[in-house]
Amino acid sequence: MTTAPRTPNPERTSPAQFEVLVPPPADGSTRARLGRLTLPHGVVETPQFMPVGTNATVKALDPHDIREVGATIILSNTYHLYLRPGHKRIEALGGLHKFMAWDGPILTDSGGFQVVSLGDLRKIDEGGVTFQSHIDGSYHRFTPELSMEVQESLGADIAVHFDQPVPPASTAASALAESTARSDRWALRSLQAHSRPDQALFGIIQGGRDPELRAESTRVIAGLPFDGICIGGLAGDETPTQREDTLDVVVNLLESDPRPRYLMGLGTPVDLLEAVHRGVDMFDCVLPARVARTGQLWVPGGRLNLRNARFVDDPRPVQEGCRCLLCTNFSRAYLAHLFRAEELLAYRLATCHNLTFTLDFMAEIRSALRTGTFTARLPELRSAASPSRSRALAVQSE
Amino acid sequence: MTTAPRTPNPERTSPAQFEVLVPPPADGSTRARLGRLTLPHGVVETPQFMPVGTNATVKALDPHDIREVGATIILSNTYHLYLRPGHKRIEALGGLHKFMAWDGPILTDSGGFQVVSLGDLRKIDEGGVTFQSHIDGSYHRFTPELSMEVQESLGADIAVHFDQPVPPASTAASALAESTARSDRWALRSLQAHSRPDQALFGIIQGGRDPELRAESTRVIAGLPFDGICIGGLAGDETPTQREDTLDVVVNLLESDPRPRYLMGLGTPVDLLEAVHRGVDMFDCVLPARVARTGQLWVPGGRLNLRNARFVDDPRPVQEGCRCLLCTNFSRAYLAHLFRAEELLAYRLATCHNLTFTLDFMAEIRSALRTGTFTARLPELRSAASPSRSRALAVQSE
């Protein structure tokens, strides 16, 4: 590439204003911090979790439900919306916010994760990724420039750079180095192609679990005028320890960086807690909603499988004291019946609960940070999280 | 049977108080009437349409949605709830109202239509109907007495007598006479078996399209101390003319009867209008919700098939001025996208619209009756109905 990176424009006011309200304590007991991210469509308190609205809808919910579960920002998928209904169509209809009737903040991913995950259906070269649609097999090509064009058409508050994540299965060192270097080069092209002034652009750090590659990618991405920093290539097939070691490499280097940090694709509440503890501000994951649709309901310290026979006579709410649409109106017995009868209402009620559980857990974390009790409350928060600690699942996108 | 029918108890206050607020005009231009039915769980203005909640849920909607579409009474299915989750289970959980979190009036059917519709899976004798479950093939036997027991356990505001409808396909005259006579005998047994004082019991007139059988069944049912009169065996394979001729036979005989009249299983808005015109007060049908889930949206004078390519760029609401969740928030293009992506939200939004359309149409009919303009406005109401007049569909239950 002969182009140089976009230089920070002193005239430019970032559309993503991030403020650290409570920094990590000086005693080094945690890197967790309380923050506030102000975006064109609203304010996001951090640490924060973003429900995923793949096809311009958080599966089974309407926008009122999304507000009610406590979401203040959602993620939507560039790859899916590009293929169907098409970004130009959404732009002509007034943009993604209007299309899906969600007037709060939205972040779009770049499509990188999806097209790289297509396996045999995609081919990567320096220019971009050629792939076949999972819907109809038609051929398409994503480049950093096209990803920016698509994301600008969609008009989310935050776009992210078109990167090349390493596939979740373990990857040879040489392939990892190559893909990380290419991803970093695509960061420049993404920045240069991006022009929409009312849309923030976040860069994505790659580098797998290799500390040197990860550190190098961190330095490259942090050296560019992005509005925020994503940590990619995790929430895959790594162990929690591998993930935490990698996070430490990244956050060590970002310690004095003023921008928000977003770990892509995580996870269970306890995974979120541990990542917050290591300095992460933002998350997204399909997991709470996806497992809800299979009848797995999250409760403090565990989960209930509503397909289990013991619930069909249980008059109690799924979670005593939960403020969600499910728990304030219906019994475990009723939800168990709906799942058995394959009634559509089951999927909505269960999704409302798991997202409320996740978002209320994040609110509890923020409350502990606000009062300076996060470190002291870590054991309690760990046992309140659900489900128990487990290997992360490769559920970044559906 | 050696038992005599329950005689009207002068001490008994019917749990279904029906009042005709505006009787049909003296000029005989219509038999339509405005009424009010007061039930244990609320007041139902008539003419009224009852959405169907087969499995203790109006498919895709929650109770708040049911209120929002304008429903004041819903129907639920005895056959389905008996098989799953079981009436004793629902009773132990506090009854159907609490189970499904709907605190308004409910009517349960008797199970007669479903078990008789099972074809090869059922065998009818004088005592009752033996049948196999459509879920797991297990054997069951419904009698008038069991139907009453099940309906009392469910605890709806209105139960109906266990009848033997004639299958929708045309039936030989002898079989029709036999089943009508048996159904009328089961009316007595239903009355004698029914004891719950806070639950109304409606009787069902059968008799197919044979004017003499229909008149005979009308005299039998109207002569018994039921709280309301159902008209069964229509909304099947008859033509509109056949249906109207049959309605005239029934309503001629019921003209001075003080009880509400409920035509079971109808229909499209224009079918409802014509039946109101002939003196019917109450209706139920799965049709508006069922066609909604296939992408057929009702609008004045017609319908939109949201799977049609012409809607994918259409920024307009499905129906300008409609007050429903769909039309006040989303475009035709968005709904078309949701149907293509098979997103769960599509089914809920479309159902909300078609039920709102149907219930607002009934409200418009009531408004015309209240102001004495029904006859004058009939042509306008006919053209506002949707879809255009067609043969009734056999959609009494799902």
Side-chain angles (χ1 to χ4, degrees):
Chain A
M1 303 300 301
T2 57
T3 46
R6 179 171 79 177
T7 50
N9 177 352
E11 302 289 306
R12 178 179 184 259
T13 303
S14 169
Q17 292 290 325
F18 185 63
E19 202 183 345
V20 175
L21 303 175
V22 179
D27 65 9
S29 62
T30 183
R31 277 176 159 156
R33 56 192 193 171
L34 186 74
R36 176 178 293 147
L37 180 61
T38 303
L39 296 165
H41 288 83
V43 171
V44 176
E45 308 291 340
T46 66
Q48 190 56 268
F49 176 84
M50 301 182 278
V52 178
T54 302
N55 289 313
T57 164
V58 175
K59 286 190 190 302
L61 305 193
D62 72 42
H64 179 75
D65 294 332
I66 300 173
R67 284 270 177 230
E68 286 295 302
V69 300
T72 52
I73 177 170
I74 62 172
L75 178 147
S76 198
N77 289 113
T78 291
Y79 164 81
H80 290 88
L81 297 178
Y82 160 82
L83 287 178
R84 182 176 61 196
H87 59 293
K88 288 295 177 196
R89 175 166 287 138
I90 290 178
E91 184 173 36
L93 290 161
L96 183 56
H97 289 89
K98 184 172 179 197
F99 184 60
M100 67 182 295
W102 167 255
D103 61 4
I106 303 176
L107 180 149
T108 44
D109 64 5
S110 68
F113 179 84
Q114 281 77 21
V115 298
V116 168
S117 303
L118 287 170
D120 289 349
L121 292 175
R122 59 98 182 115
K123 192 177 161 300
I124 303 173
D125 58 52
E126 183 61 25
V129 184
T130 304
F131 62 96
Q132 282 182 271
S133 160
H134 74 285
I135 300 172
D136 62 7
S138 56
Y139 282 90
H140 301 267
R141 182 172 171 79
F142 255 41
T143 61
E145 292 74 22
L146 179 64
S147 174
M148 294 306 108
E149 179 191 322
V150 174
Q151 292 186 78
E152 292 192 17
S153 291
L154 296 174
D157 298 68
I158 303 173
V160 304
H161 114 242
F162 185 69
D163 63 335
Q164 187 198 329
V166 177
S170 33
T171 303
S174 62
L176 178 64
E178 188 190 351
S179 71
T180 300
R182 182 181 296 125
S183 195
D184 292 347
R185 289 192 294 274
W186 288 358
L188 301 190
R189 285 170 55 189
S190 296
L191 266 171
Q192 286 162 338
H194 188 265
S195 63
R196 193 168 164 157
D198 61 345
Q199 182 177 63
L201 182 64
F202 282 22
I204 307 177
I205 295 165
Q206 292 291 343
R209 299 168 209 154
D210 181 304
E212 291 191 22
L213 274 177
R214 191 51 88 160
E216 173 60 20
S217 185
T218 303
R219 281 186 285 265
V220 169
I221 298 300
L224 294 171
F226 286 114
D227 300 298
I229 307 291
C230 308
I231 304 161
L234 293 176
D237 57 357
E238 78 279 3
T239 65
T241 305
Q242 290 172 326
R243 186 189 317 135
E244 288 153 19
D245 290 348
T246 305
L247 276 181
D248 286 344
V249 169
V250 170
V251 179
N252 280 342
L253 290 166
L254 294 179
E255 200 132 33
S256 61
D257 193 288
R259 292 170 289 190
R261 306 165 193 151
Y262 157 33
L263 174 47
M264 307 179 92
L266 210 62
T268 65
V270 75
D271 288 335
L272 305 183
L273 175 65
E274 298 299 344
V276 166
H277 184 36
R278 283 160 185 84
V280 177
D281 306 300
M282 299 168 67
F283 304 91
D284 79 284
C285 194
V286 298
L287 189 66
R290 179 176 288 173
V291 302
R293 296 197 304 276
T294 70
Q296 306 279 336
L297 279 285
W298 288 353
V299 294
R303 64 178 123 188
L304 310 181
N305 180 354
L306 267 285
R307 296 194 178 274
N308 191 307
R310 71 190 167 102
F311 295 117
V312 297
D313 291 303
D314 193 333
R316 292 174 294 171
V318 162
Q319 181 185 338
E320 201 68 59
C322 173
R323 60 178 182 80
C324 84
L325 179 67
L326 170 66
C327 294
T328 53
N329 288 283
F330 305 100
S331 62
R332 295 172 180 185
Y334 184 66
L335 186 61
H337 164 66
L338 293 182
F339 270 110
R340 277 164 178 70
E342 297 180 354
E343 284 287 349
L344 294 169
L345 183 57
Y347 312 114
R348 178 165 166 239
L349 294 178
T351 302
C352 281
H353 176 77
N354 276 6
L355 286 177
T356 300
F357 182 90
T358 305
L359 289 160
D360 281 2
F361 185 70
M362 298 307 288
E364 194 61 26
I365 289 174
R366 289 195 302 276
S367 166
L369 290 169
R370 196 172 295 114
T371 54
T373 58
F374 179 82
T375 306
R377 291 186 57 196
L378 253 179
E380 171 209 331
L381 288 166
R382 281 181 178 130
S383 66
S386 165
S388 314
R389 189 86 193 232
S390 62
R391 284 174 64 91
L393 299 168
V395 287
Q396 188 168 12
S397 178
E398 47 193 301
Chain B
M1 303 300 298
T2 57
T3 46
R6 178 172 80 177
T7 51
N9 177 353
E11 302 288 305
R12 176 180 185 258
T13 303
S14 169
Q17 293 290 324
F18 186 62
E19 202 184 344
V20 175
L21 304 175
V22 179
D27 65 8
S29 62
T30 183
R31 278 176 158 157
R33 58 193 193 171
L34 186 75
R36 176 179 294 149
L37 179 62
T38 303
L39 296 165
H41 287 82
V43 172
V44 176
E45 308 291 340
T46 66
Q48 191 55 269
F49 176 85
M50 301 183 278
V52 178
T54 301
N55 289 312
T57 164
V58 175
K59 286 190 189 304
L61 304 193
D62 71 44
H64 179 76
D65 294 331
I66 300 173
R67 284 270 176 230
E68 286 294 302
V69 301
T72 53
I73 177 170
I74 62 171
L75 178 146
S76 199
N77 289 112
T78 291
Y79 164 82
H80 289 88
L81 296 179
Y82 159 83
L83 288 178
R84 184 176 59 197
H87 59 294
K88 288 294 177 198
R89 176 165 288 137
I90 290 178
E91 186 174 35
L93 290 161
L96 183 56
H97 288 90
K98 185 172 179 197
F99 185 60
M100 67 183 294
W102 168 254
D103 61 3
I106 303 177
L107 180 148
T108 43
D109 64 5
S110 67
F113 179 84
Q114 281 77 22
V115 298
V116 168
S117 303
L118 287 170
D120 289 348
L121 293 175
R122 60 97 181 118
K123 191 177 159 301
I124 303 172
D125 58 51
E126 182 61 22
V129 183
T130 304
F131 62 95
Q132 282 184 270
S133 160
H134 74 284
I135 299 172
D136 61 7
S138 57
Y139 281 90
H140 301 267
R141 181 170 170 80
F142 255 42
T143 61
E145 292 74 20
L146 179 64
S147 175
M148 293 307 108
E149 179 191 325
V150 174
Q151 291 186 76
E152 292 192 16
S153 291
L154 296 175
D157 299 68
I158 303 173
V160 304
H161 112 244
F162 186 69
D163 63 334
Q164 188 197 330
V166 177
S170 30
T171 303
S174 62
L176 178 64
E178 188 189 351
S179 71
T180 299
R182 181 180 296 124
S183 193
D184 292 348
R185 290 191 294 274
W186 288 358
L188 300 189
R189 286 170 56 189
S190 296
L191 264 172
Q192 287 162 339
H194 188 264
S195 64
R196 192 167 167 157
D198 62 344
Q199 182 176 64
L201 182 64
F202 282 21
I204 306 177
I205 296 165
Q206 291 291 344
R209 300 169 207 153
D210 181 305
E212 291 191 19
L213 274 177
R214 192 49 90 160
E216 173 58 20
S217 183
T218 302
R219 279 186 287 263
V220 169
I221 298 300
L224 294 170
F226 286 113
D227 300 299
I229 307 291
C230 308
I231 305 161
L234 292 176
D237 57 357
E238 79 278 4
T239 64
T241 304
Q242 289 171 326
R243 184 189 318 134
E244 287 152 20
D245 290 348
T246 305
L247 276 181
D248 286 344
V249 168
V250 169
V251 179
N252 280 340
L253 290 166
L254 294 178
E255 199 131 34
S256 61
D257 192 288
R259 293 170 289 191
R261 306 163 192 152
Y262 158 33
L263 173 48
M264 307 179 90
L266 209 63
T268 63
V270 74
D271 288 335
L272 304 183
L273 175 66
E274 299 299 344
V276 165
H277 184 37
R278 283 160 185 84
V280 177
D281 305 303
M282 298 168 68
F283 304 91
D284 78 283
C285 194
V286 299
L287 189 67
R290 179 175 289 173
V291 302
R293 296 198 302 278
T294 69
Q296 305 280 336
L297 280 285
W298 288 354
V299 293
R303 63 177 124 188
L304 310 181
N305 180 353
L306 267 285
R307 296 193 179 274
N308 191 306
R310 72 192 166 102
F311 295 117
V312 296
D313 291 303
D314 193 335
R316 292 174 294 172
V318 160
Q319 181 186 337
E320 201 68 59
C322 173
R323 62 179 180 81
C324 83
L325 179 67
L326 169 66
C327 294
T328 53
N329 288 283
F330 304 100
S331 61
R332 296 173 179 185
Y334 184 66
L335 185 62
H337 165 65
L338 292 182
F339 270 110
R340 277 166 178 71
E342 296 179 356
E343 284 287 348
L344 294 169
L345 183 57
Y347 311 115
R348 178 165 167 241
L349 294 179
T351 302
C352 282
H353 176 77
N354 276 7
L355 286 177
T356 300
F357 182 89
T358 305
L359 289 159
D360 281 1
F361 185 68
M362 297 308 287
E364 193 62 26
I365 288 174
R366 289 195 302 278
S367 166
L369 290 169
R370 195 172 294 114
T371 54
T373 58
F374 179 81
T375 307
R377 289 186 58 196
L378 255 179
E380 171 210 331
L381 288 166
R382 281 180 177 130
S383 67
S386 164
S388 312
R389 189 86 193 232
S390 61
R391 282 176 65 90
L393 299 169
V395 286
Q396 189 169 12
S397 178
E398 49 191 300

